[in-house]
Every structure is written in structure tokens, then in C-alpha cells.
Amino acid sequence: MSYDYLALYVDGEWRRPGRGTVAAISPADGERNGSTPLASESDVDAAVAAARRAFGTPSWTGLPVEERAELLERFAIQLEKNVPERATATSVQNGTPISIALPSEGGAPIGLLRYHAGLARRTVVEDRRERFDGMGETIVRREPVGVVAVVVPWNFPQPITMFTVAPALAAGCTVVLKPAPETVFGALELAAAADRAGLPPGVLNVVTGGAEIGEHLVSHPGVDRVAFTGSTAAGRKVGEICGRLLRPVTLELGGKSAAIVLDDADLVATTQGLASCALLNSGQACYLSTRILAPRSRYDEVVDAVAGLAKALKIGDPLDRTTQIGPMVSSRHRERVESYVRLGQRSGARLVAGGVPAEQERGWYVRPTVFADVDNSDPIAREEIFGPVLAVIPYRDVDEAVAIANDSEYGLGGTIWTSDVDEGIAVARRVRSGSVGVNYYDLDLGAPFGGVKASGLGRELGPEGFDTFFHYKSIYLHKAT
Ligand code: NAD
């Protein structure tokens, strides 16, 4: 089947892309499986201009919150109508196994729109309070920040897009979205659903392209706020641009999180949990616990369990519902992941599962790979690999485990595995990271998500994430004398 997406979505219309179209390549077999449009800088200019025109209008920003929330719910209903098609649209581009794509690409954007419609209804937009000095009153208003540029990566593209598009729209902002060049189909499906739902022209626009188009968008004079998700390297560049322009920005970046396996952990449950907490989406997720910290007292047991997990996972066609590990997103990315496997082999770490096969198979597959006896200073323990490669690192006691977990440039996720949940919570409190799971890990739409250190700036999701799409304004009223 050929997936041919030929147009951008700008100002409520399908627009012919300034730079034509480019072939899409299936990660499962390396063959062409469709086309995607390529935007020019003038397409981006047109999208930003449309978003600017739509911002502040009575038909969007000026709508009573109830009516805007209803439009978001209509958007959700449209998304509900093609869950399998949208999940497939992502899987055929980035190789996410369909069993994962159905709930994440298909289902999650719907929940995100509904959650933010509800949050908008509950949020007080304006309150009137007495002055601190008793000399009058102040009206405190939340005002939407304006035109939001949303730049997202190729892993979990539809939910990640909605992490910021849903709250931005709920707040009354307008959006220009730039998906990663690897996953354009799903973004255009989101635009089509918004169009069918009747969102006014210019409220949501989608332009495509790589880093240059992304930079043109985030530095555009018509943009008021930037929401960037991607690698730490690109995030630093976007952060520099926004710093120079004094433009509010959230940066959701890379990670190298730790799973701390405590000495009382049930290893069967831990291994089952690590299948998703360490290897979800073939290791291509930002918050994964890819450093497995194992107590010396049970080190061999943990190594065997993790190696056994890696060997048991079913590798195959992403569209096969029984596949657990799909291909990497691109041949370039597979080469990058494999270069880390070779680096691990040279570092003196012990390869206990996986490795680079002598002959490459069709498609961009990497076998789940586990290294034991890894030192936390080794590059495979320090750098984000973004593939199915795990490092098992021994520790002496809990203090050392926490020290190793925190000895990282990153601080995004992490997990604690234990039979004693209270002890798990106590250890979780000591991990320097934006989120930690005890005996599991799953994002909560109602709670803030984001990173510390090189994992990013700011938070998405929950009321805290929603708040970042508003400016506060205070109107002072002096007491009549
Ligand atoms: P990437 O940084 O290469 O690209 C991300 C997006 O930014 C793409 O749309 C890309 O075209 C664009 N881009 C790249 N350089 C840019 C620049 N200089 N200016 C503006 N836009 C630019 O990342 P990727 O390979 O697509 O995604 C994988 C990375 O994303 C990993 O590091 C992963 O950890 C991270 N990620 C983080 C989160 C999170 O929530 N913290 C979630 C998912 C992925």
C-alpha cells in the first residue's frame, strides 16, 4: 500500500507544498511506501500569518470557554472515527509495533483533548482579590499566550503533539505544528480531523520539513511561545534562539533514566515491567529506564532475568499484532544504535543478549541487547542511545544506587522495583528526575511531566502544563477615597 500525503494544512485549507514532495521509506523493509509534502519558508510564513489572524478572534480566542471546549470534544470525536488508520499511519513510518500504536497514537490524542477540554472548563480565567495592603482590589487574569509553535519528534508523534496542542487550543491559543520529517502522515491525519470537526481556519496549521524549517518556525517574529520536544542537542539550539528573542519555551529533551532494582524485588514482576519501562517502542522512548541498577547480592539473578527478557521479545513486522520489537525509525538511526553496541563491546562490558548480527536483515531492525558489568562512566551508560540497548550496573547499597542514578547528565524518568512500596517511594524521592515510577511507569495526563538537567525545561500536562499557555495580567483598582 502507498500512503500519499501531498499537501500541508494552512489556514483551514490543503496547501500545495513549496518544495514539492519526498518519498517515504518503510522502516520494516526499506522500500518506498508513500510520499510526504515538504514546506518552504514561505509556507511557514503563511501558516504563522494564518495563526496570527485566528488568534484573538471572537470565533476562537473570544469564544466562551464552554464553546471552545465543545469544539475540542468534536475534534476528539473525529479522532475516534479513525483510530486504526491513524495508528497505522504512524507505524508504517516509524516502525512502532501496532499493539503499542493503537493505544498511544490512536487512543491517547482523544483522551488528551477531552482532558484539556475539562481542564479549561474548570480553570478560573479571572479572579478579583483584595490588595495585600488593603488599599483596593486587583483583578488577576489568565490571558492566552498567542501563537504557539509546536515542534515534535518521530517517536510517539501523535500523543506528544497533543501534549501541547490540546492545552494550547484549550487556552484559546492558535498553533503551527511542525512534525518530524519521519512521521508526517499522523500529523496530517490530526489536521484532517480538526478540519472535519470545524475548528476555524488558522487555529491549527501543519507545516513539514527538517531542522531548517523548524528553526525558521521557532524564530519567526509572529510566534509568541515555543513548545519543543526532541533531542537535547536540538533543544539547546531552540533554547538559544528563544533566549535571544525572550520567547517563552518548554523543552522536552532526552533521557538516560535508571531502574533501581532493590534487593527485595520480585524479579518476575520486575522483568515483566521492564519490558515496557526499559524497552517500549523498541527502546525509542525518552523516559525509558535503560540503566538497570542491580544489588551485588542478587547481581547474577538480575543479569539473567534482563538477558532472558531481551531474548524472549518477539521482533518483527510492526503491523503484526504479536510483534513486540519493531525496526528503528531509519537506517541512519539503526547505524547510530549499532555503533553504541560496538562501543559497548569495546568498553569491556559483557554482552549477555543481542549484539550486531554479521549480516543485516531487511528493514532497520536491532536485536534487544543487554550489557552486564557496565561502569556508569562508560559511554553506553552516559549517552542516550534511543534503541533497545540496556546496561546492567552493580551497586553495593541503596545510597550508592541513588548516587549512580543521579550521576547522569539527564533527569527525565526512572523506576524503583521493590516489594515494599513505602521504601520504593522513599527512594523515588531521592532520585533527581522529573518523574519516577514505583514498580511501573506510565505518564499521568493529570500530573506534570518533564525533565531536569539536560532533559529539559518546564513541564507539560496537568494544570501545571496548562498554565504555561497563559500570561498572567493584574489590573489594579484603587480604593475610592
Ligand atoms: P530531533 O531533535 O532530531 O528532532 C525533533 C524535532 O525537532 C523534529 O521535528 C526536527 O525536525 C526538529 N528540529 C531538529 N533540529 C531543530 C532545530 N535546530 N530547530 C528547530 N527544530 C529542529 O529529535 P528526534 O530524533 O526526532 O527525536 C528523538 C529525541 O527526542 C530523543 O532525544 C528523545 O529522548 C527526545 N524525546 C523527548 C521527549 C520528552 O518528552 N522529553 C519525548 C520524545 C522524544
Side-chain angles (χ1 to χ4, degrees):
M1 169 151 182
S2 187
Y3 301 85
D4 292 300
Y5 289 81
L6 306 176
L8 309 169
Y9 186 69
V10 174
D11 205 12
E13 291 185 349
W14 294 100
R15 175 182 171 105
R16 198 182 336 176
R19 290 193 297 148
T21 59
V22 67
I25 303 296
S26 161
D29 59 15
E31 303 287 331
R32 180 184 181 135
N33 67 355
S35 318
T36 63
L38 263 190
S40 62
E41 292 193 350
S42 43
D43 294 325
V44 176
D45 297 344
V48 174
R52 275 249 73 87
R53 281 194 300 276
F55 181 72
T57 53
S59 57
W60 183 247
T61 312
L63 277 182
V65 71
E66 181 53 38
E67 288 177 38
R68 200 163 53 243
E70 278 169 17
L71 270 171
L72 293 190
E73 279 162 354
R74 264 195 254 163
F75 188 179
I77 289 168
Q78 290 304 322
L79 292 178
E80 230 163 15
K81 291 185 178 164
N82 64 354
V83 166
E85 291 79 5
R86 285 186 301 101
T88 304
T90 296
S91 280
V92 298
Q93 281 213 284
N94 73 357
T96 294
I98 194 73
S99 62
I100 298 169
L102 280 165
S104 59
E105 298 298 302
I110 301 166
L112 280 154
L113 280 169
R114 292 199 169 128
Y115 170 75
H116 285 97
L119 196 52
R121 288 188 177 103
R122 294 194 300 277
T123 300
V124 176
V125 170
E126 189 168 297
D127 78 271
R128 199 168 170 134
R129 40 183 103 156
E130 199 169 318
R131 278 183 64 95
F132 85 106
D133 55 9
M135 296 300 289
E137 285 184 316
T138 298
I139 296 169
V140 177
R141 279 176 58 71
R142 280 187 162 95
E143 296 188 345
V145 293
V147 173
V148 181
V150 175
V151 178
V152 294
W154 45 261
N155 70 313
F156 297 106
Q158 295 184 52
I160 286 176
T161 294
M162 280 299 174
F163 282 8
T164 50
V165 169
L169 297 181
C173 297
T174 57
V175 172
V176 179
L177 165 67
K178 193 206 78 67
E182 295 86 347
T183 45
V184 167
F185 301 167
L188 294 168
E189 288 292 345
L190 293 180
D195 190 74
R196 291 194 299 273
L199 259 66
V203 167
L204 174 64
N205 308 272
V206 180
V207 291
T208 57
E212 314 86 76
I213 286 295
E215 273 194 35
H216 186 68
L217 174 60
V218 298
S219 57
H220 201 288
V223 166
D224 298 300
R225 182 211 189 287
V226 173
F228 176 86
T229 308
S231 60
T232 296
R236 285 189 205 282
K237 289 190 190 153
V238 171
E240 276 173 25
I241 292 169
C242 292
R244 181 162 38 81
L245 296 171
L246 296 179
R247 180 166 292 172
V249 59
T250 42
L251 300 170
E252 293 283 352
L253 311 177
K256 189 76 189 180
S257 303
I260 302 181
V261 182
L262 295 182
D263 60 6
D264 66 349
D266 169 346
L267 281 193
V268 173
T270 300
T271 314
Q272 278 166 0
L274 287 176
S276 74
C277 298
L279 288 166
L280 183 75
N281 196 26
S282 321
Q284 299 168 116
C286 51
Y287 57 68
L288 294 180
S289 296
T290 49
R291 291 182 295 150
I292 315 290
L293 313 193
R296 285 197 188 276
S297 57
R298 300 184 69 191
Y299 188 69
D300 292 341
E301 259 183 282
V302 175
V303 169
D304 288 349
V306 177
L309 163 69
K311 289 175 189 163
L313 292 171
K314 187 178 171 212
I315 308 175
D317 181 347
L319 294 184
D320 178 337
R321 281 185 185 241
T322 63
T323 291
Q324 293 169 297
I325 298 285
M328 301 291 94
V329 67
S330 62
S331 66
R332 195 165 55 103
H333 189 54
R334 179 183 62 180
E335 276 163 32
R336 183 175 179 275
V337 173
E338 286 186 345
S339 73
Y340 276 104
V341 176
R342 292 197 185 89
L343 198 61
Q345 284 174 296
R346 288 200 301 272
S347 73
R350 182 160 51 99
L351 183 72
V352 291
V356 180
E359 252 181 65
Q360 279 308 354
E361 300 147 33
R362 233 163 96 88
W364 323 130
Y365 293 92
V366 174
R367 286 190 285 168
T369 296
V370 180
F371 285 102
D373 308 343
V374 177
D375 191 279
N376 197 47
S377 62
D378 291 345
I380 58 166
R382 302 213 73 80
E383 293 170 30
E384 184 184 52
I385 299 174
F386 223 59
V389 182
L390 304 181
V392 190
I393 303 171
Y395 72 82
R396 204 176 39 249
D397 54 24
V398 173
D399 286 349
E400 192 185 28
V402 170
I404 295 171
N406 290 341
D407 177 15
S408 173
E409 188 195 353
Y410 298 104
L412 188 59
T415 45
I416 316 294
W417 302 89
T418 174
S419 301
D420 179 348
V421 172
D422 289 338
E423 174 64 4
I425 296 169
V427 176
R429 288 197 176 107
R430 298 174 63 192
V431 174
R432 207 162 158 240
S433 169
S435 56
V436 184
V438 177
N439 292 329
Y440 100 127
Y441 186 101
D442 195 11
L443 263 59
D444 172 5
L445 304 191
F449 173 76
V452 299
K453 302 188 271 182
S455 289
L457 278 183
R459 291 293 177 268
E460 293 176 351
L461 301 181
E464 294 83 359
F466 187 45
D467 223 24
T468 66
F469 292 94
F470 295 100
H471 285 308
Y472 282 99
K473 180 192 277 179
S474 296
I475 302 175
Y476 308 129
L477 306 170
H478 196 259
K479 196 190 264 179
T481 45

